[in-house]
Amino acid sequence: MSGPRVISQGSWLVVYALMQGCAQAGSETRPALLEARWTGADSGVMRGPATARWCADNRFAELLGLQGDTGIAIAIRRVDSLVPGQYPAVLPDSADSISASATVALRFLARSSVSGYQSDSGSVTLDRDAGGRLSARFQVRARVLGAAGRISLRGSAVAMNVVRGGEECTTPWRPSQ
């Protein structure tokens, strides 16, 4: 019969180092990411880095995702803060007359030209995780700029740290003046 096992100080250091490594690996934050899929007059998918900017003076937020020549921009307009909830998606020109709304835009390189779509219906839902990072889910119908084409666009953005805008904040969806 043997007595109790004694673990050496060196063994404890190895166990402690392994536990710290596991804790650090589990605490890594996942990168902010926007994923989307669209079907209709055009179809495609994108998956790329995402950013979120809050522009308090202009009462809007911009969420952006980019993959190569493809980009998605989401504006949350006429809000006092980025609170979780659902925001109706509208055309940019309609957003000035509707409180707390969203506009979603998609731009990508088509076979022979650059295509652009703007939301005219649907919604964007914002959430926050336990660490305060912003996430968004969107499902909208969008029309091509200057033509009759329409698409269904859906996707999500996760793990976005919201930065406060400064001079980057201009009135959304309109050129700086």
Side-chain angles (χ1 to χ4, degrees):
M1 192 156 57
S2 63
R5 288 196 115 156
V6 177
I7 299 176
S8 71
Q9 187 175 11
S11 297
W12 278 115
L13 288 174
V14 170
V15 170
Y16 179 75
L18 288 172
M19 289 173 49
Q20 286 299 103
C22 291
Q24 288 174 359
S27 68
E28 290 177 11
T29 60
R30 61 184 179 175
L33 187 66
L34 189 143
E35 298 179 296
R37 174 177 307 277
W38 57 96
T39 58
D42 285 299
S43 62
V45 296
M46 76 152 285
R47 183 175 196 252
T51 61
R53 178 177 313 282
W54 169 242
C55 298
D57 291 345
N58 293 332
R59 298 178 57 213
F60 82 94
E62 59 182 17
L63 316 178
L64 305 172
L66 187 64
Q67 177 192 18
D69 292 328
T70 301
I72 293 182
I74 303 170
I76 307 295
R77 300 169 58 127
R78 302 174 86 56
V79 292
D80 293 324
S81 63
L82 278 177
V83 296
Q86 189 171 35
Y87 300 85
V90 298
L91 284 168
D93 292 341
S94 302
D96 289 337
S97 61
I98 298 173
S99 64
S101 64
T103 301
V104 181
L106 165 67
R107 182 208 57 148
F108 61 93
L109 187 59
R111 290 180 199 100
S112 60
S113 64
V114 175
S115 291
Y117 286 86
Q118 295 177 337
S119 64
D120 61 8
S121 61
S123 65
V124 175
T125 303
L126 298 181
D127 289 306
R128 296 262 185 184
D129 66 14
R133 292 173 304 220
L134 188 68
S135 66
R137 292 183 321 275
F138 53 95
Q139 183 170 345
V140 300
R141 295 277 297 155
R143 61 175 72 166
V144 71
L145 304 176
R150 291 182 56 76
I151 60 168
S152 292
L153 171 63
R154 66 175 32 208
S156 63
V158 295
M160 294 178 291
N161 289 314
V162 179
V163 297
R164 297 214 178 266
E167 56 190 60
E168 299 91 357
C169 291
T170 60
T171 303
W173 310 103
R174 292 185 176 77
S176 299
Q177 300 189 9

